[in-house]
Amino acid sequence: MRENKVVCRELDCGNPVSVSRGHLIEDGRGGVRLLRCSGDESSIRQCDIRRGRPGFCDGEYYHHVTCSESVRLVNGAGLCSGRVEVKSNQSWASVCEADFDRQDAEVVCRELGCGAPAALQGGLYGEGEGQTWDKEFQCKGKESLLLDCDTSDRKHNTCLPGNAVGLTCSEPDDVRLVGGGSRCAGGVEWYDQGEWRTVGTLSDAKAVAAVVCRQMGCGSTVSVLPGNTTRGIRVSCSGSESLLRECRRMHDLLPGLTVICSESVRLVGGAGLCSGRVEVKSNQSWASVCEADFDRQDAEVVCRDVGCGAPAALQGGLYGEGEGQTWDKEFQCKGKESLLLDCDTSDRENNTCLPGNAVGLTCSGKKQFVT
């Protein structure tokens, strides 16, 4: 999707929505293989490309990209979050929070190939530098495209600073883990061109697994094992992507991946998979844990839960502060539990967690990954 973002940006066509493969090149034209794009380039020519003989192309197929033509999300963490902008007279305009509601958000998320709206707030992703959209949307929520919705003249002629609407959509339901006994464990499958296909990789299983666990909202990766050899999708990720569809892919015959994610605890912001700020899943969102509510025995359970070795360092503020809420309980683990949520808890003695006190944990290395 990094390459697709560049293509859609260069054509001034909004966000990438989907990618598929086309027919073999048969008309004698030479193809190019896109070896590397960061996603921030303004032109595909700025990417690292390899030119080839006539008929040469990555996977011997054209890549077909579908971009949203008239709506995009800007400055978000991934493809499914950002400031809402609408194309108006060949330029992009921010939308005022007062002119945009939940039903409008449902249409935008659907148009961009994402899941249902999760957050809708003015100023969430900054202010646009250009104009403000001059209409109020009146979507019913079932439209396929935002510009299919009815509009009316705005009730207010101004949009105050901080009121450019930001939208976070849930991740698309195009990845699943099957056969593992829970939604956070099993063989990785990706919904592609109307069917579920097995996902595998040649060299970066850890990075692919990290993206899968992140997209599934399942916490840190516990283990990755090879699955059955089958024709599916070969994926290559850096590990920092929000969605599997942001990774590079091609169709190939190779072993699939079986991934086990921790369901309710993760380590965030660390240098690897066994270090980071401790976060616990609470009511479908993630909460940091205060240093005062977490001790060595709790750390032993967390390291075990995420498939790592014994705790090596435990310190508040070691991996920064979380942006969301703070876990409202104090853990009372005995140190032998398999999962953090198997531990007893009690109400916190202190109701506040001062800045710099979100607990950071470093465990010794993982031993359960394929290499």
Side-chain angles (χ1 to χ4, degrees):
M1 273 291 170
R2 288 191 294 265
E3 289 75 23
N4 301 327
K5 286 173 68 175
V6 177
V7 170
C8 291
R9 182 183 300 118
E10 183 170 358
L11 295 175
D12 201 26
C13 285
N15 286 30
V17 176
S18 66
V19 60
S20 60
R21 57 179 184 167
H23 297 295
L24 284 164
I25 299 174
E26 297 174 343
D27 58 6
R29 286 184 292 171
V32 296
R33 175 180 294 165
L34 298 176
L35 299 179
R36 187 178 299 109
C37 292
S38 70
D40 297 323
E41 295 86 353
S42 59
S43 169
I44 205 73
R45 295 179 183 85
Q46 296 172 352
C47 300
D48 184 6
I49 63 176
R50 176 183 171 191
R51 299 187 181 277
R53 63 188 182 279
F56 168 90
C57 200
D58 194 359
E60 297 184 329
Y61 286 92
Y62 276 134
H63 286 278
H64 288 183
V65 180
T66 301
C67 312
S68 62
E69 294 193 37
S70 52
V71 64
R72 66 184 185 183
L73 299 179
V74 180
N75 286 350
L79 294 170
C80 291
S81 64
R83 184 178 64 254
V84 179
E85 292 190 350
V86 179
K87 198 169 188 180
S88 172
N89 296 323
Q90 303 308 306
S91 63
W92 292 92
S94 298
V95 178
C96 196
E97 183 180 19
D99 304 325
F100 197 86
D101 62 16
R102 174 83 183 192
Q103 290 173 305
D104 305 329
E106 289 174 355
V107 177
V108 170
C109 291
R110 181 181 305 115
E111 182 169 352
L112 298 179
C114 301
L120 179 65
Q121 180 183 331
L124 194 60
Y125 296 104
E127 294 299 305
E129 298 178 358
Q131 60 183 319
T132 300
W133 177 249
D134 60 359
K135 299 287 185 181
E136 180 178 345
F137 287 106
Q138 296 177 329
C139 301
K140 298 178 175 63
K142 302 298 182 183
E143 296 88 347
S144 299
L145 305 175
L146 183 62
L147 291 194
D148 288 343
C149 298
D150 293 333
T151 60
S152 63
D153 292 333
R154 294 182 61 203
K155 296 177 182 177
H156 309 285
N157 291 324
T158 60
C159 188
L160 297 176
N163 284 347
V165 71
L167 172 62
T168 302
C169 310
S170 58
E171 308 301 1
D173 295 327
D174 60 355
V175 174
R176 66 183 184 183
L177 298 174
V178 297
S182 81
R183 67 176 299 275
C184 292
V188 183
E189 292 188 350
W190 189 353
Y191 194 73
D192 175 66
Q193 300 183 47
E195 63 180 297
W196 288 98
R197 299 175 186 268
T198 299
V199 170
T201 190
L202 291 180
S203 59
D204 50 359
K206 297 179 185 180
V208 174
V211 177
V212 170
C213 292
R214 182 179 301 121
Q215 178 169 347
M216 296 289 293
C218 288
S220 297
T221 310
V222 176
S223 67
V224 186
L225 301 169
N228 295 328
T229 300
T230 183
R231 182 166 295 281
I233 301 173
R234 188 202 321 179
V235 175
S236 178
C237 304
S238 70
S240 62
E241 296 86 352
S242 301
L243 307 172
L244 199 62
R245 64 180 175 138
E246 295 176 20
C247 301
R248 301 174 187 274
R249 69 173 185 176
M250 63 185 67
H251 297 259
D252 211 340
L253 182 68
L254 76 172
L257 292 178
T258 296
V259 174
I260 299 174
C261 315
S262 62
E263 296 198 33
S264 52
V265 64
R266 66 183 185 184
L267 300 177
V268 179
L273 294 168
C274 288
S275 64
R277 184 178 62 255
V278 178
E279 291 190 351
V280 180
K281 198 167 189 180
S282 173
N283 297 322
Q284 302 309 306
S285 62
W286 292 92
S288 298
V289 177
C290 196
E291 182 181 20
D293 304 324
F294 197 85
D295 61 17
R296 176 80 183 192
Q297 290 174 303
D298 305 328
E300 288 174 356
V301 178
V302 169
C303 290
R304 184 179 304 116
D305 198 345
V306 298
C308 299
L314 179 65
Q315 180 182 331
L318 193 60
Y319 296 104
E321 295 298 306
E323 298 178 359
Q325 59 184 320
T326 301
W327 178 249
D328 60 359
K329 299 287 185 181
E330 180 178 347
F331 286 106
Q332 297 177 328
C333 301
K334 298 179 176 61
K336 301 298 184 183
E337 296 89 346
S338 298
L339 305 174
L340 183 62
L341 292 194
D342 288 344
C343 298
D344 292 332
T345 59
S346 63
D347 292 333
R348 295 180 59 201
E349 295 181 2
N350 304 309
N351 291 324
T352 59
C353 189
L354 297 176
N357 284 347
V359 70
L361 172 62
T362 301
C363 312
S364 56
K366 282 184 179 286
K367 301 174 182 177
Q368 300 180 41
F369 279 95
V370 293
T371 58

